[in-house]
Amino acid sequence: MTTFPEHFLWGTATAAYQVEGAWNEDGRGPSIWDTFSHTPGLVAGGDTGDVACDHYHRLEEDLDLLAALGVGAYRFSISWPRVQPGGTGPVNRAGVDFYSRLVDGLLARNISPVATLYHWDLPQELEDAGGWPHRDTASRFADYARLAGEALGDRVRTWITLNEPWCSAYLGYASGVHAPARAEPAAALAAVHHLNLGHGLAVQALRSTAAKDAQMSVTLNLHHVRGVSERDADAVRRADALANRAFLGPMLEGAYPRDLIADTASVTDWSFVRDGDEATARQPLDVLGVNYYNPTLVRRWDGDGPRETADGHQDGAASPWIACEDVEFVKQPGPYTEMGWNIDETGLTELLLRLHRDYPDMPTMITENGAAFPDPVAADGRVHDADRIDYLHRHLAAVSEAIAGGADVRGYFVWSLMDNFEWAHGYAKRFGIVRVDRETMERTWKDSAHWYRDVVAAGELPARDFARHA
Ligand code: FCB
């Protein structure tokens, strides 16, 4: 049996574009994800977020769902183009009202609101002006943060500036498998910097508008990178620099790692980093958000045979691993989820202990963890997702192990509350603990939702005898 700290925050997570729908209602402007999903061939099945889970129109029902689950917190994201349609100028009142009702509805149910400012839905107008590779976007983001802080800062408990800037920069601008589908490695590194800068400016803007005791955070999808053998140490270092230290460096230490600058010298001279930017990116944070799904395995590639690219993401026009031409991403042993991601919770324990070692004063919070599985509806009308329960159980046990090892982990959010629009995979990949019927939009609790409710109520995992994956 594993026990979690007394004030451990138990939650579920979603993101605006993945659940809201109502893409062109009440003054919402288009985002890069509307453009992406409306472009034929980019999303599996031609799916779009136009309707998504219709959460925008089913807010009360979904709030009741959260209350029935008994979670102490809910992580949602604010759609920038709903609040500020073109990414500049005054707020769209109707958009702000929606989030205001959401936050009030959470507080009325005793659920702590955890708001992400940016979960990938950049206003299309800002992309047209250059997007994240363009420095001005960081300032626009700070303005938006200020508006959000003014509107909701008296009630939101925890602010997360960015969700997974790794994906925004490298999947959006290097491999192009995410919006805005650009394959320009140098621009992707400029995007990395302007996301870091935007984060720092946004924290400043929120500190001046939000409640004094509001918590500031950012969510990173840190990669737990392992090498196949000792000869792969430099491949591990390179991947770690690009994936992890490109963000941890400026945000937590106020400087880019020197090896990252050297590794990428053939792609960019980093002249977009101006004096003072790195200091701006480093703002005091209260907690670091960590999203974890699986570890990453690399090997030095010496040019023999085809280079493996099994990094868990679709292959795009270029590699998201800029200047890692001699690094292979090796397929890991199963079992796998529906995403083809291997299940290995030991990476989560190791990652949390590494963060604790490197940043002993920075508490962490698992802002996403979960799995997609086929989830057939059984003859009894229910979804018996024993595989998801097993996944969640293993990963929560891994969190508890890290806590036992000294890591200060403050909370855990299941990805996701409900089945939703899984980016370029459309609705084919189901991550919810609650099923959403694509025809009727009806919400049905999967077995994992019942299980999670019991875990949350007990504040501990039930006794379970399961073999650790090797
Ligand atoms: C993360 C995203 C989230 C969801 C999960 C499966 O990278 O932050 O929106 O798509 O993956």
Side-chain angles (χ1 to χ4, degrees), residues 15 18 75 119-120 163-164 167 178 221 291 293 313 339 341 368 415 420-423 431:
Q18 295 179 276
R75 174 175 178 238
H119 202 123
W120 307 353
N163 177 72
E164 302 191 350
C167 293
H178 277 186
N221 55 323
N291 290 356
Y293 291 91
H313 302 284
M339 297 294 282
W341 297 345
E368 281 180 33
W415 184 273
N420 57 49
F421 178 81
E422 180 46 34
W423 309 111
F431 272 91

Side-chain angles (χ1 to χ4, degrees), residues 174-432:
S175 71
V177 299
H178 277 186
R182 284 165 60 181
E184 302 162 36
L189 292 173
V192 165
H193 179 58
H194 298 137
L195 284 156
N196 282 321
L197 179 62
H199 156 79
L201 293 170
V203 173
Q204 288 178 340
L206 287 168
R207 290 253 186 235
S208 67
T209 47
K212 288 286 156 282
D213 59 350
Q215 303 241 310
M216 297 298 156
S217 185
V218 61
T219 282
L220 303 177
N221 55 323
L222 296 170
H223 288 57
H224 186 64
V225 188
R226 293 167 172 156
V228 171
S229 74
E230 273 171 25
R231 124 186 218 283
D232 304 308
D234 196 59
V236 172
R237 181 200 58 72
R238 253 178 197 260
D240 180 61
L242 196 70
N244 301 328
R245 290 182 286 114
F247 303 100
L248 292 170
M251 288 182 185
L252 299 188
E253 300 175 37
Y256 283 101
R258 282 172 183 279
D259 58 333
L260 172 71
I261 308 284
D263 289 347
T264 54
S266 64
V267 179
T268 178
D269 60 7
W270 291 78
S271 54
F272 41 76
V273 181
R274 299 196 190 154
D275 281 355
D277 283 1
E278 290 156 292
T280 303
R282 183 196 194 185
Q283 294 298 316
L285 297 180
D286 299 292
V287 59
L288 175 68
V290 176
N291 290 356
Y292 176 87
Y293 291 91
N294 66 337
T296 302
L297 186 63
V298 299
R299 179 168 56 206
R300 189 178 87 200
W301 186 59
D302 26 36
D304 292 341
R307 179 169 158 259
E308 268 198 75
T309 59
D311 66 349
H313 302 284
Q314 296 139 293
D315 287 335
S319 172
W321 297 96
I322 299 164
C324 287
E325 287 81 12
D326 59 355
V327 179
E328 274 196 294
F329 292 81
V330 180
K331 186 163 171 73
Q332 301 176 68
Y336 306 102
T337 68
E338 271 289 282
M339 297 294 282
W341 297 345
N342 69 311
I343 300 173
D344 181 355
E345 68 280 7
T346 64
L348 179 53
T349 309
E350 289 168 23
L351 175 62
L352 290 170
L353 290 175
R354 168 208 171 161
L355 289 169
H356 175 59
R357 218 170 29 244
D358 291 353
Y359 307 103
D361 299 327
M362 177 57 63
T364 52
M365 183 155 87
I366 309 304
T367 41
E368 281 180 33
N369 175 243
F373 286 111
D375 292 346
V377 180
D380 60 5
R382 300 176 62 156
V383 179
H384 301 297
D385 57 341
D387 35 19
R388 181 172 292 102
I389 293 175
D390 182 73
Y391 181 98
L392 296 175
H393 195 130
R394 284 173 187 281
H395 286 79
L396 276 163
V399 172
S400 134
E401 203 173 313
I403 294 171
D408 182 3
V409 190
R410 301 283 172 91
Y412 175 93
F413 293 72
V414 174
W415 184 273
S416 177
L417 170 64
M418 56 188 153
D419 294 339
N420 57 49
F421 178 81
E422 180 46 34
W423 309 111
H425 298 280
Y427 297 98
K429 306 290 185 228
R430 296 178 172 272
F431 272 91

